[in-house]
């Protein structure tokens, strides 16, 4: 497998825009630092919370803050970026005024898995700017379909980087002896259907009836339930094997729990490029125009036939 191209060679051969190649390579570089940090975290006193509640009102873990710092510092040096939005920062961070792109990050996804050595991820999205000069907040008010690069890194048994420049989805695996990502799948296609459903069933009594009906239908069909507690891990499994992930509005989170700009948008972009699909229950995720950096959304994402079945229950 090491004969397969490196990430750098592959994207260069593909001829993607140099600015986007540069941004992706910087993200990949930081992800290697994050991966090493995660491996050493338990013995390095890096588990647990840091007594800070982030702008989402969620307890921040030490590694949430550390991963955020690594991505922000690593990416601010990239002059193609006019700014960065992160789950862990209240506001957009200004980058280079000459930069033509904005990057959005969930630096560490699945924080509740940190202390139990479960799957973790990083999710990223890159949008073009809509103005020049100093970055303005209104520039993030864009549709998901405007993304020009998106993807995620999954820190599991191995470290995978999955990305799309809008022309198919490619996967890469980190070779730890050389710290380089190598191509695993070119133009990955997700199965049109599957038998895995992923939802926090502890919330089922608080979900709307159509969602309850759909989950019941999955059980009647004897589908398999899988829920990692990390969106990246659940999405990745379902992308490869065929499946559906649901995080609907609940009584506790009436607008949904997941964030539009740095969780739903990038994964919906990957889904579309791999032949899967994503919705908020009333419209395609990629058709939504963001209204705020930390906006939340219900998310239904996965194999097209399962999403069609869900639509039969939920009328979308
Ligand atoms: P984050 O750790 O970035 O805040 O994201 C956590 C998200 C997502 O990864 C996961 O699927 C979901 O929260 C789990 O939520 P529940 O614990 O409510 O099921
Ligand atoms: Mn997350
Ligand atoms: Mn996170």
């Amino acid at each position: 497998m090491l004969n397969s191209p490196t990430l750098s060679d592959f994207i260069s051969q593909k001829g993607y825009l140099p600015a986007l190649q540069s941004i992706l390579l910087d993200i990949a570089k930081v992800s290697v630092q994050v991966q090493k940090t995660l491996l050493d975290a338990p013995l390095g006193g890096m588990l647990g919370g840091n007594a800070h509640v982030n702008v989402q009102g969620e307890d921040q873990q030490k590694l949430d803050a550390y991963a955020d710092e690594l991505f922000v510092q690593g990416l601010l040096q990239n002059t193609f970026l006019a700014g960065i939005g992160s789950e862990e920062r209240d506001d957009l961070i200004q980058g280079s005024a000459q930069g033509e792109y904005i990057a959005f990050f969930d630096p560490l996804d699945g924080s509740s898995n940190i202390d139990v050595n479960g799957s973790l991820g990083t999710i990223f999205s890159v949008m073009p700017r809509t103005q020049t000069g100093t970055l303005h907040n209104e520039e993030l008010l864009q549709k998901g379909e405007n993304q020009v690069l998106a993807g995620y890194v999954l820190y599991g048994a191995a470290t995978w980087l999955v990305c799309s420049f809008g022309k198919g989805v490619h996967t890469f695996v980190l070779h730890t002896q050389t710290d380089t990502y190598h191509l695993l799948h070119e133009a990955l296609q997700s199965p049109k259907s599957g038998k895995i459903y992923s939802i926090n069933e502890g919330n089922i009594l608080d979900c709307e009836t159509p969602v309850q009906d759909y989950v019941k239908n999955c059980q009647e069909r004897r589908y398999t339930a899988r829920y990692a507690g990390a969106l990246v891990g659940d999405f990745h499994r379902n992308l490869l094997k065929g499946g559906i992930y649901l995080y609907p509005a609940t009584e506790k989170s009436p607008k949904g729990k997941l964030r539009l700009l740095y969780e739903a948008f990038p994964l919906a972009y990957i889904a579309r490029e791999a032949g899967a699909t994503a919705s908020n229950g009333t419209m395609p995720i990629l058709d939504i125009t963001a209204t705020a950096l930390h906006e939340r959304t219900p998310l239904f994402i996965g194999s097209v036939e399962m999403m069609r079945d869900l639509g039969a229950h939920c009328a979308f």
Side-chain angles (χ1 to χ4, degrees):
M1 263 334 206
L2 267 191
N3 292 331
S4 71
T6 61
L7 173 66
S8 169
D9 286 348
F10 180 80
I11 61 178
S12 154
Q13 282 156 15
K14 285 280 169 195
Y16 297 128
L17 283 175
L20 297 179
Q21 288 189 40
S22 160
I23 293 168
L24 181 65
L25 290 177
D26 279 350
I27 292 171
K29 194 165 140 194
V30 174
S31 76
V32 177
Q33 292 175 266
V34 172
Q35 190 254 2
K36 288 180 191 299
T37 304
L38 295 177
L39 289 174
D40 291 335
L43 297 178
M46 288 291 285
L47 298 184
N50 63 2
H52 176 75
V53 176
N54 71 11
V55 65
Q56 324 280 319
E58 290 164 357
D59 290 337
Q60 196 178 54
Q61 303 297 300
K62 289 178 194 165
L63 284 170
D64 283 327
Y66 198 82
D68 171 77
E69 197 59 32
L70 287 175
F71 276 105
V72 170
Q73 294 315 325
L75 272 294
L76 273 183
Q77 294 173 20
N78 191 307
T79 53
F80 294 112
L81 283 176
I84 298 172
S86 164
E87 178 188 1
E88 308 302 337
R89 307 276 177 142
D90 296 9
D91 300 307
L92 276 176
I93 304 155
Q94 294 284 336
S96 160
Q98 284 78 48
E100 291 169 19
Y101 298 95
I102 315 168
F104 298 95
F105 285 95
D106 178 348
L108 203 56
D109 174 65
S111 314
S112 67
N113 281 352
I114 290 173
D115 290 352
V116 297
N117 201 26
S119 302
L120 294 164
T122 291
I123 313 176
F124 58 89
S125 162
V126 179
M127 296 263 199
R129 294 198 58 186
T130 55
Q131 299 175 29
T132 52
T134 309
L135 182 65
H136 294 99
N137 263 329
E138 64 259 30
E139 293 188 62
L140 60 82
L141 312 183
Q142 299 194 43
K143 279 192 174 180
E145 67 184 19
N146 288 6
Q147 291 171 101
V148 287
L149 166 66
Y152 59 87
V153 179
L154 173 60
Y155 311 100
T159 301
W160 290 47
L161 186 151
V162 178
C163 66
S164 179
F165 290 77
K167 290 178 184 145
V169 171
H170 313 304
T171 80
F172 303 85
V173 174
L174 183 65
H175 182 246
T176 54
Q177 284 168 31
T178 53
D179 286 346
T180 48
Y181 283 99
H182 286 257
L183 181 71
L184 191 63
H185 304 104
E186 179 173 355
L188 176 81
Q189 280 295 299
S190 186
K192 295 292 168 219
S193 195
K195 294 188 172 178
I196 300 172
Y197 69 101
S198 306
I199 182 171
N200 183 341
E201 276 186 75
N203 294 332
I204 198 75
L205 297 179
D206 294 335
C207 297
E208 288 170 356
T209 317
V211 174
Q212 294 177 348
D213 289 348
Y214 176 72
V215 169
K216 191 155 175 268
N217 187 260
C218 290
Q219 293 164 344
E220 284 163 1
R221 293 181 187 209
R222 303 298 189 265
Y223 283 179
T224 292
R226 289 282 184 271
Y227 193 73
L231 174 62
V232 168
D234 285 312
F235 175 81
H236 183 73
R237 178 204 327 97
N238 296 349
L239 184 78
L240 294 181
K241 294 196 162 185
I244 189 169
Y245 176 96
L246 309 93
Y247 209 115
T250 61
E251 267 175 37
K252 189 171 151 204
S253 309
K255 294 182 175 164
K257 177 182 181 189
L258 299 171
R259 278 57 56 108
L260 183 64
L261 275 160
Y262 43 81
E263 291 182 317
F265 273 177
L267 297 189
Y269 189 78
I270 294 292
R272 182 191 73 192
E273 291 299 318
T277 184
S279 168
N280 69 353
T282 52
M283 65 193 289
I285 291 287
L286 295 176
D287 287 353
I288 300 172
T289 301
T291 59
L293 177 56
H294 300 293
E295 179 175 1
R296 294 179 191 264
T297 180
L299 179 64
F300 306 93
I301 188 164
S303 303
V304 282
E305 286 176 18
M306 297 183 86
M307 288 289 287
R308 213 173 287 141
D309 283 348
L310 172 67
H313 288 82
C314 296
F316 67 84

